[in-house]
Amino acid sequence: MNEETKSAFYEQPHPYISLFIKMLTISAFTFGGGFVIISMMRRTFAQKLKWLEDQEVLDMTAIAQSAPGALGVNSAIIFGYQIAGLPGVAVSLTATVIPPLVILSVLAFFYQQFISDPIAQIVMQVLRAGVAAVIVDVVIDLASNVIKSKDILNLVLMITAFLALVVFKVSSLLIILAALVIGILPIGRKES
Amino acid sequence: MIYLQLFTTFFLIGLFSFGGGYAAMPWILSLVVEQRQWLTTAEHADLTAIAEMTPGPIGVNAATFVGTRMAGLPGAVICTLGCITPSLIIVLCLAFLYRKYRDLALMKQILTRLRPVVVALVASAGLTILKLALFGEGGSFADLRYVELGLFLLALLVLRNTKISSILVLLGSATLGTVIYLFF
C-alpha cells in the first residue's frame, strides 16, 4: 500500500465509521451487479477520498473477478482489506451485506406486488441509463490511462479482450487467465 | 436440520459461482430448485428479476430471498453467511498474496498485463447495461429510447464535469426519468 494513500484513510476523524457509511450507501444504492459497485468504489475511494490508487483498484478488480462469489461481496472484502486490513474487511463486508439483507427479507413476502408495479418497472428501466453512465465514466478514465501509458502490448490486450468479451462472448475468467499467462511469459518485458 | 442445509447449499453456490452474481443463478436453479425443491421454477424466475431490481450484490439478494422464505430472518442470515464464506476465504488469501508479492518483478509484470484486461471487462459490462438501457431486452436499433439516451448523456456529462457523487447522479437521473415517463 502506498504510504500517502494509507495515511489519507487514518487521518479521517472516524476512519472505520466513515468506511462503514460509504460501503453501506454504495451497497444500498447500487443496482445492477458487481461492476457498478466497483465503478462506485473507484469513484469514491480512489478519485474522491484518495484512499487508494487507480492501479490498486484495477488489481483488486482482477482479484475480485478471479475468485468465486458475488463480485460486490468480493470487492467489499478486498477493498476493505486494502484500505484497512482485517478490521477493514469486517467493516466493509458487514456494511455491504446489510442493505440487501434488510430489503430482500422484506420483499420476500411482497415481491409479487413489487415486480408487477408499473412505477417500479419504470424506475428500473430509467435507472439503467444512470448505471450505464457511471460505468462508462469509469471506463473513459481507465482506458485513457492505458492509452496514455503508450505500452502497445497493453493497448492490444485491452482491445483484444474487449472484442473477445463482446463479439465472441468468451468468459471473463478465461480472459483473466490468458492475461496471467501473457504476464508470466517474457513478452514485451521492460528491463528496469 | 434446515439451517445446516441452507448453509451448505449456499456455501456451494458461493463456491461455484465464478464470474459474479449472475453466474450464481444456474447453480441456484440446480441446487435450490431442482435438488432441494425450496423454490418453484416460477419463483426462481421472479427471484432473478427481484435480485436485479433491488440494490446490492445479486448473490446476497438471492441468498436472502431463499433464506427468508425457508426460515425467516435467521434463515436469511445463515444463507448470506453461507454464500459469502467461500469468497471471504479465497479473496483474503489472494489479497494477502497480492500485498506480500506485488513488488516482485514477476508479479508486477503479471499485474501490468492484467490491468488493461480488467478495463476491457468493466467496459463490456458497461456496454451490456447501456444496450439494455437504450434498447430494452433484446431490442433492435429501431427501438432506441430517447428518454434513456438523454438521461445517459446528461448523467455522463455531470459525472465527467462535476464532483457530485455517483449515487446522487443515479438517484437524480432515475427521478427525472420516472417523472418524464409518468407525466409526459
Side-chain angles (χ1 to χ4, degrees):
Chain A
M1 197 188 304
N2 181 304
E3 288 308 316
E4 205 176 296
T5 52
K6 191 177 180 175
S7 62
F9 172 71
Y10 291 105
E11 272 165 16
Q12 300 272 318
H14 302 288
Y16 292 103
I17 296 176
S18 153
L19 177 65
F20 184 85
I21 293 171
K22 296 282 179 222
M23 285 289 184
L24 192 78
T25 4
I26 289 176
S27 176
F29 292 103
T30 312
F31 296 80
F35 284 109
V36 194
I37 298 184
I38 288 179
S39 304
M40 296 276 215
M41 288 182 180
R42 186 252 168 197
R43 192 170 163 96
T44 310
F45 296 123
Q47 205 176 10
K48 281 180 102 178
L49 296 171
K50 310 244 181 273
W51 291 355
L52 297 168
E53 295 161 47
D54 262 352
Q55 283 205 339
E56 285 178 295
V57 171
L58 286 177
D59 297 346
M60 288 185 288
T61 309
I63 294 173
Q65 178 79 26
S66 318
L71 201 49
V73 172
N74 292 357
S75 27
I77 296 170
I78 192 154
F79 276 71
Y81 185 78
Q82 194 66 14
I83 291 172
L86 286 178
V89 174
V91 168
S92 71
L93 191 54
T94 314
T96 301
V97 166
I98 287 176
L101 202 61
V102 172
I103 296 170
L104 262 290
S105 53
V106 174
L107 265 188
F109 298 103
F110 305 104
Y111 76 93
Q112 288 292 356
Q113 288 98 306
F114 177 66
I115 294 185
S116 49
D117 186 66
I119 296 184
Q121 296 201 334
I122 293 174
V123 174
M124 289 323 300
Q125 171 60 29
V126 294
L127 249 178
R128 286 183 185 140
V131 167
V134 169
I135 301 189
V136 169
D137 168 53
V138 169
V139 169
I140 292 174
D141 286 342
L142 297 180
S144 58
N145 285 345
V146 174
I147 295 166
K148 272 185 238 152
S149 77
K150 301 215 167 84
D151 184 324
I152 302 296
L153 180 57
N154 275 357
L155 193 60
V156 171
L157 272 176
M158 180 169 77
I159 294 167
T160 318
F162 183 74
L163 292 178
L165 284 160
V166 173
V167 182
F168 301 104
K169 312 282 176 210
V170 179
S171 97
S172 47
L173 202 63
L174 261 181
I175 302 231
I176 287 190
L177 283 177
L180 271 177
V181 173
I182 292 169
I184 294 170
L185 293 175
I187 309 171
R189 187 166 291 178
K190 281 190 215 104
E191 302 299 330
S192 54
Chain B
M1 183 60 191
I2 182 75
Y3 292 128
L4 190 64
Q5 285 181 353
L6 286 172
F7 184 87
T8 48
T9 302
F10 275 91
F11 184 89
L12 290 177
I13 291 170
L15 187 62
F16 292 142
S17 55
F18 278 96
Y22 288 106
M25 284 306 171
W27 289 104
I28 291 175
L29 185 65
S30 85
L31 292 175
V32 174
V33 180
E34 285 161 11
Q35 196 183 326
R36 298 283 186 193
Q37 305 190 329
W38 285 335
L39 291 181
T40 64
T41 319
E43 283 174 320
H44 179 262
D46 290 344
L47 168 61
T48 315
I50 309 167
E52 207 188 323
M53 285 170 83
T54 46
I58 289 167
V60 177
N61 290 349
T64 309
F65 183 83
V66 177
T68 311
R69 311 257 311 178
M70 297 307 299
L73 192 61
V77 174
I78 299 270
C79 286
T80 302
L81 283 179
C83 146
I84 64 177
T85 304
S87 292
L88 193 59
I89 298 169
I90 296 169
V91 174
L92 276 184
C93 290
L94 291 174
F96 178 76
L97 290 176
Y98 168 71
R99 199 182 266 190
K100 191 154 188 212
Y101 295 111
R102 65 181 285 198
D103 291 328
L104 284 183
L106 179 64
M107 190 63 150
K108 271 190 174 162
Q109 187 61 35
I110 293 173
L111 290 172
T112 309
R113 298 307 171 215
L114 263 180
R115 285 173 195 140
V117 165
V118 173
V119 178
L121 284 179
V122 182
S124 99
L127 186 68
T128 308
I129 295 184
L130 185 62
K131 274 199 322 214
L132 208 55
L134 298 187
F135 305 108
E137 307 267 354
S140 66
F141 284 97
D143 303 323
L144 178 64
R145 299 161 190 243
Y146 294 100
V147 176
E148 276 83 351
L149 180 64
L151 284 176
F152 167 74
L153 293 175
L154 183 66
L156 189 60
L157 202 71
V158 172
L159 285 167
R160 299 299 304 163
N161 295 302
T162 68
K163 291 214 156 192
I164 298 175
S165 89
S166 29
I167 288 166
L168 277 182
V169 174
L170 265 187
L171 290 179
S173 70
T175 313
L176 183 63
T178 311
V179 168
I180 292 173
Y181 270 109
L182 285 179
F183 296 104
F184 296 98

